[in-house]
Amino acid sequence: MRKLFTLITLFIMAQNATAQKNELRQIADSISAEGEMLYHYEWASGHSTQIFTSNFGGKKLLSGGYFSYETKKGMTTIFFSKNEDPVVLATVKFDHGLDSSKYSIDTTTRKFTENEKEFYTIRSKAAQAVLNDTLFKSYQHTSLNLVPIVKNGAKRVYIITAQTAPDEVLLGNDYLINFDKDNDIIKRTKLHNNLIPLGTGGKDAIKASSHQHLGETSPFITATDICAFKLWKSKTTWVISFVVSAGYVSAWHFRDEFLEILTQAEWGKIMKNK
């Protein structure tokens, strides 16, 4: 009877371990997908801004901002005017290959499409929240990028601190604002507790980077972390980056762009056997 009880206990433990691994794999896949999507939006916005500024500097002075969105054909970025009833000043388009040399730009002034109106509305409300809510912080020599996303019925705006120095990657000081179907704010979330500058390596190659998630910060790597890693991958010498919390270790592998999430117990076993 004792042997049977032991076998049953071991079987239950194995089943629980498998279930936990499957759950962590699903979490990792979900975060990776969100990070990939956020990267596409930020990539399009960054390259479109360079194109618009370089070729249409005069019109850029009239711009009150920009945002990007995904279509069936690729990524579109629009620049809108500053006035109370804004119009689109320019439209930049890339295909899904995200090749910065392959784009089209249309500087015909036009009205927002219905889809663009939704993006503009939640972006504007997020901008007002950033100005009026003490939750949101800004740091010297940085700027905040607003990234509105409307997808599968869900509406949200990421607020990300933009990189300024060429020899560091900025993580943290990022936020997420969620909206309901009527475009009203229902939740404000601070994704990291502070701003985290990480050296890119330079002459002294750094193979790994790491930072901690403490307190109310997510126990896992965030989509904004992955977005930053993908945006600045070519600027660093990193092979892997770790995010460590009380219960988990998230590992982002740069070459394969693969996310692995381990429990602290699993991580401890790996380190012990090295």
Side-chain angles (χ1 to χ4, degrees):
M1 181 63 71
R2 185 175 295 176
K3 288 183 178 179
L4 178 61
F5 178 77
T6 301
L7 288 173
I8 292 173
T9 301
L10 290 173
F11 176 77
I12 292 173
M13 289 175 64
Q15 289 290 96
N16 289 340
T18 300
Q20 185 179 41
K21 284 186 177 181
N22 290 337
E23 182 181 1
L24 289 179
R25 183 68 261 150
Q26 291 175 2
I27 291 171
D29 289 345
S30 176
I31 295 172
S32 293
E34 185 80 356
E36 178 73 17
M37 179 176 61
L38 190 56
Y39 162 69
H40 281 216
Y41 280 64
E42 279 289 82
W43 184 96
S45 292
H47 286 281
S48 296
T49 299
Q50 291 177 9
I51 293 165
F52 186 47
T53 303
S54 299
N55 297 287
F56 303 95
K59 209 166 188 179
K60 176 69 168 63
L61 297 175
L62 303 174
S63 176
Y66 60 84
F67 57 81
S68 298
Y69 58 92
E70 189 173 10
T71 69
K72 291 181 179 179
K73 294 183 178 180
M75 296 301 302
T76 296
T77 302
I78 66 166
F79 297 85
F80 55 85
S81 60
K82 295 178 181 178
N83 49 310
E84 291 184 6
D85 189 18
V87 293
V88 176
L89 298 174
T91 307
V92 183
K93 295 183 178 181
F94 299 93
D95 63 26
H96 285 296
L98 300 186
D99 184 339
S100 60
S101 67
K102 297 178 180 179
Y103 66 88
S104 66
I105 182 166
D106 184 350
T107 56
T108 304
T109 300
R110 61 174 177 82
K111 294 182 179 180
F112 287 124
T113 65
E114 290 302 313
N115 181 50
E116 290 167 350
K117 284 180 183 177
E118 280 204 287
F119 277 83
Y120 175 76
T121 298
I122 62 174
R123 185 193 186 280
S124 297
K125 290 189 175 183
Q128 284 299 313
V130 169
L131 288 174
N132 299 321
D133 193 326
T134 56
L135 172 72
F136 304 96
K137 295 181 180 179
S138 59
Y139 289 80
Q140 192 174 16
H141 306 306
T142 67
S143 61
L144 294 176
N145 289 349
L146 278 68
V147 189
I149 298 174
V150 180
K151 191 167 185 178
N152 299 328
K155 303 176 184 181
R156 54 201 181 276
V157 176
Y158 282 95
I159 295 96
I160 302 173
T161 297
Q163 178 181 351
T164 53
D167 59 346
E168 66 182 15
V169 173
L170 293 182
L171 304 177
N173 195 45
D174 46 2
Y175 310 85
L176 176 62
I177 302 179
N178 296 95
F179 294 79
D180 63 16
K181 61 181 179 62
D182 298 316
N183 297 326
D184 292 322
I185 294 175
I186 55 176
K187 188 178 181 182
R188 300 169 173 86
T189 305
K190 190 175 186 178
L191 300 178
H192 288 82
N193 286 327
N194 51 12
L195 185 66
I196 309 163
L198 298 176
T200 58
K203 294 180 180 179
D204 300 320
I206 300 172
K207 295 299 182 182
S209 67
S210 67
H211 68 279
Q212 291 183 309
H213 282 186
L214 304 174
E216 296 181 358
T217 305
S218 168
F220 310 114
I221 194 172
T222 64
T224 51
D225 287 333
I226 291 176
C227 175
F229 292 154
K230 287 177 66 65
L231 281 172
W232 307 113
K233 178 179 178 179
S234 63
K235 304 292 184 182
T236 75
T237 57
W238 302 343
V239 174
I240 192 169
S241 190
F242 299 103
V243 176
V244 182
S245 69
Y248 303 93
V249 175
S250 302
W252 176 256
H253 301 265
F254 279 78
R255 187 179 69 177
D256 301 325
E257 296 193 339
F258 175 73
L259 174 60
E260 184 178 20
I261 299 177
L262 304 170
T263 64
Q264 279 286 1
E266 289 176 310
W267 178 251
K269 289 179 182 178
I270 291 172
M271 297 306 293
K272 186 177 180 180
N273 292 330
K274 278 195 171 185

